[in-house]
Amino acid sequence: MDIINLKEYFKKSNTIANYKALCAILKIKVMAGDSKKAQIKEMERYFRYHKEGNKFIIDEIYSEILPKIDHRKDGNNVTEYTKIIENLILDLLVQGGNNKQGFGRVFLSKNQLFKEFHMINDNYVYCKRRILKLSKFMNINKETVEEWYDLNDDMLERNLQQALNSLENKSLISWDKKLTVVEAIPLAEIKKGGTEIVKRRYIDQYDEEQIDYKYRADDEIQLNYREANDKEDAFILKTEKDIMNELGCDSKQKIIKFGMWETFKNKVDDIVLKELNLAFYYKSYKILFNEKHISEAIDDIYGQCELVEDEKISSKYLLNLDIMDRTIKNAEKRHENAIEEKNKIIGKMKNDIKGQKN
Amino acid sequence: MILKDKRTKRRSTENYLGDNIELGNNLIVINAINIKDNVKKTKIESIIEKSMEEILDILLDEME
């Protein structure tokens, strides 16, 4: 939720045309039903508003976010495994990412974090790009596989963000989702006519096409990971949209659905490499922290500076079990709701037929 | 509405729950067997995909 953007908007006007426009300002997804209710509830922690028809009139943007009020029985809005994720994040931060600038900084993709914390296994990401084949191999309806990934990916990311928010709320970290770019830097001295980064495609052990990057002069390049600047961000955005249009799609979801993700990615990456000298890019979580405070927080939890290996393994194992359990419970709910819905439809149809006979 | 009905029908089937559990067993459970070999692209699939990309490029060039 981009409250800074809302604050900027608020300087000019306190009236927002409708819910959709509000979402655009806050840079959040437009939702429906219960998700929308939950989202609006969450917004109410950041600002006070009243409604005039469809319009949202912002009365005040709070200087401090209001705490979450939870009405559930256990009075704890943080699921058990969100707490485990929090501890694993702290442990990950204390182990790496610190630099000599007096603060720590890590860039990690969603999937890297999922994998590191055992929220998914090794098959997850690989199979996600091959849904049709996975559906055939497992003999499961393609729509069910797609739905499984959509819903569970969202759930896992929500849990991860919940844990990050909780740590941010304790002022232990500051996080944001940023575009990370990987610069290809030639290590060798730049020679005349030999400054080009060359992309090489090859087939790996799984018969999959892979790509690596070489410096034409002597093969030595270094990949430097950093946050994209505004210019790069804008260029990548424009290139993605151009290629999306070329492929006749209007969203990344459609590109994946039509099995064109690799074509899309290759085309965009080629242009980005040629124009910006960036090997590739991805969305990642940028986490800033102070190592001293993180160590103290871990010390408070465990009475020592780092999670001992056994504890870490058992935490990850527990998290994995919890997540599996949650996916099953959610599927059960969907199944029960669908049966209820189906019975309603059948009941309505029966009534309609009766009505027609009478 | 039709889409929602289709979804309701799919989710209400007996297989639905079992399919979801099976997906979790293969994609979440940490000690699951490696199924990458079973879903990898065959050589012919890679060739077809590559050819489709090339055809698309030619078509786009001609359209310009």
Side-chain angles (χ1 to χ4, degrees):
Chain A
M1 201 176 302
D2 196 338
I3 294 296
I4 295 168
N5 205 31
L6 180 71
K7 279 181 184 165
E8 284 300 311
Y9 182 88
F10 191 58
K11 283 178 193 166
K12 290 174 267 170
S13 165
N14 68 340
T15 308
I16 298 166
N18 49 35
Y19 164 69
K20 214 173 159 186
L22 177 63
C23 288
I25 293 169
L26 291 168
K27 295 179 185 165
I28 52 173
K29 265 191 201 169
V30 175
M31 304 272 199
D34 287 342
S35 310
K36 183 180 170 183
K37 279 183 205 161
Q39 192 187 44
I40 288 179
K41 204 146 195 61
E42 178 66 10
M43 288 176 192
E44 287 167 357
R45 295 176 56 220
Y46 293 84
F47 55 86
R48 190 162 54 81
Y49 70 92
H50 68 273
K51 283 194 78 180
E52 281 178 17
N54 284 335
K55 286 179 189 165
F56 282 76
I57 314 294
I58 310 292
D59 300 312
E60 183 192 355
I61 299 176
Y62 303 128
S63 52
E64 272 185 34
I65 312 163
L66 300 182
K68 269 191 184 174
I69 300 165
D70 184 51
H71 300 291
R72 294 189 311 189
K73 255 193 262 168
D74 59 5
N76 183 6
N77 201 27
V78 180
T79 60
E80 197 183 335
Y81 64 77
T82 309
K83 194 79 209 154
I84 302 177
I85 301 170
E86 267 184 53
N87 295 345
L88 289 171
I89 293 172
L90 289 176
D91 186 64
L92 181 76
L93 297 181
V94 87
Q95 283 187 43
N98 199 40
N99 59 28
K100 292 184 176 86
Q101 293 169 296
F103 62 92
R105 183 176 62 178
V106 291
F107 283 102
L108 287 164
S109 74
K110 176 179 83 175
N111 289 331
Q112 279 174 314
L113 287 164
F114 286 171
K115 265 178 109 169
E116 172 63 31
F117 301 154
H118 286 191
M119 294 167 84
I120 55 173
N121 66 24
D122 282 344
N123 295 325
Y124 186 96
V125 179
Y126 187 87
C127 295
K128 193 179 172 187
R129 295 181 193 136
R130 294 154 184 87
I131 286 185
L132 192 63
K133 292 218 80 176
L134 178 66
S135 142
K136 279 182 191 159
F137 166 65
M138 291 185 70
N139 197 21
I140 295 176
N141 185 312
K142 185 176 158 261
E143 282 74 31
T144 300
V145 180
E146 279 172 348
E147 179 193 75
W148 188 92
Y149 266 113
D150 278 351
L151 297 175
N152 290 314
D153 220 56
D154 275 357
M155 179 192 78
L156 294 175
E157 188 157 23
R158 268 199 314 276
N159 292 148
L160 183 63
Q161 292 188 355
Q162 209 172 1
L164 289 167
N165 282 337
S166 173
L167 292 173
E168 191 167 58
N169 202 25
K170 293 172 191 163
S171 296
L172 287 171
I173 65 160
S174 156
W175 74 273
D176 209 348
K177 222 173 163 184
K178 290 281 180 191
L179 190 71
T180 298
V181 292
V182 184
E183 241 175 340
I185 304 167
L187 287 179
E189 267 184 26
I190 295 171
K191 291 170 189 167
K192 258 187 191 173
T195 57
E196 194 185 349
I197 303 295
V198 181
K199 189 171 181 176
R200 184 175 73 96
R201 296 173 195 270
Y202 64 96
I203 304 296
D204 70 5
Q205 54 174 332
Y206 296 110
D207 278 342
E208 281 287 298
E209 189 181 77
Q210 299 292 344
I211 296 167
D212 70 13
Y213 301 86
K214 299 281 181 202
Y215 178 53
R216 198 167 66 186
D218 69 350
D219 279 1
E220 290 282 318
I221 66 154
Q222 183 188 313
L223 295 178
N224 181 35
Y225 293 70
R226 63 167 172 82
E227 193 179 322
N229 60 37
D230 288 351
K231 206 176 152 192
E232 289 161 344
D233 211 331
F235 181 84
I236 289 168
L237 193 70
K238 181 192 169 293
T239 310
E240 282 189 347
K241 189 66 188 160
D242 287 346
I243 301 298
M244 206 179 268
N245 290 342
E246 256 187 44
L247 298 176
C249 293
D250 58 9
S251 71
K252 287 180 185 170
Q253 263 173 329
K254 275 194 188 159
I255 293 174
I256 293 171
K257 212 169 179 177
F258 296 147
M260 294 193 288
W261 180 253
E262 277 168 51
T263 310
F264 170 77
K265 199 75 181 100
N266 284 341
K267 279 175 178 284
V268 176
D269 280 354
D270 283 350
I271 296 171
V272 169
L273 178 68
K274 193 174 165 222
E275 299 298 324
L276 303 177
N277 229 17
L278 298 174
F280 55 95
Y281 65 93
Y282 57 95
K283 277 266 178 194
S284 72
Y285 285 92
K286 177 188 175 187
I287 307 172
L288 295 176
F289 60 96
N290 177 305
E291 198 189 18
K292 183 175 162 270
H293 291 149
I294 298 285
S295 298
E296 282 169 5
I298 290 191
D299 205 24
D300 282 347
I301 302 166
Y302 299 101
Q304 58 207 20
C305 270
E306 278 177 34
L307 280 181
V308 288
E309 206 52 37
D310 281 353
E311 250 176 314
K312 211 185 299 178
I313 291 168
S314 82
S315 287
K316 288 180 182 178
Y317 183 68
L318 266 177
L319 182 60
N320 189 262
L321 282 178
D322 277 341
I323 284 169
M324 183 61 194
D325 194 39
R326 179 60 65 106
T327 65
I328 296 171
K329 278 186 182 145
N330 288 343
E332 276 171 355
K333 268 188 228 159
R334 291 195 295 274
H335 182 57
E336 283 160 16
N337 289 343
I339 290 174
E340 210 174 296
E341 181 101 354
K342 201 177 159 189
N343 289 341
K344 268 189 207 165
I345 295 169
I346 293 170
K348 195 178 173 289
M349 279 165 73
K350 278 182 183 169
N351 283 340
D352 287 350
I353 293 167
K354 250 189 207 172
Q356 278 171 10
K357 278 183 183 171
N358 293 336
Chain B
M1 191 64 193
I2 295 164
L3 265 177
K4 203 184 168 196
D5 287 349
K6 225 173 142 187
R7 192 182 72 182
T8 304
K9 198 176 159 190
R10 179 173 52 78
R11 286 180 174 182
S12 65
T13 57
E14 280 179 27
N15 292 343
Y16 183 75
L17 209 52
D19 287 348
N20 270 269
I21 295 171
E22 210 40 44
L23 284 165
N25 282 339
N26 280 290
L27 305 168
I28 286 186
V29 171
I30 212 68
N31 298 323
I33 54 159
N34 185 338
I35 59 167
K36 289 179 189 172
D37 274 337
N38 304 91
V39 298
K40 73 180 183 189
K41 280 179 198 154
T42 58
K43 266 189 185 152
I44 190 78
E45 280 170 332
S46 298
I47 291 166
I48 291 170
E49 198 170 283
K50 197 87 208 108
S51 311
M52 290 301 284
E53 262 183 54
E54 278 159 13
I55 291 168
L56 193 71
D57 278 342
I58 294 166
L59 280 173
L60 288 168
D61 282 349
E62 283 189 358
M63 274 163 71
E64 278 168 10

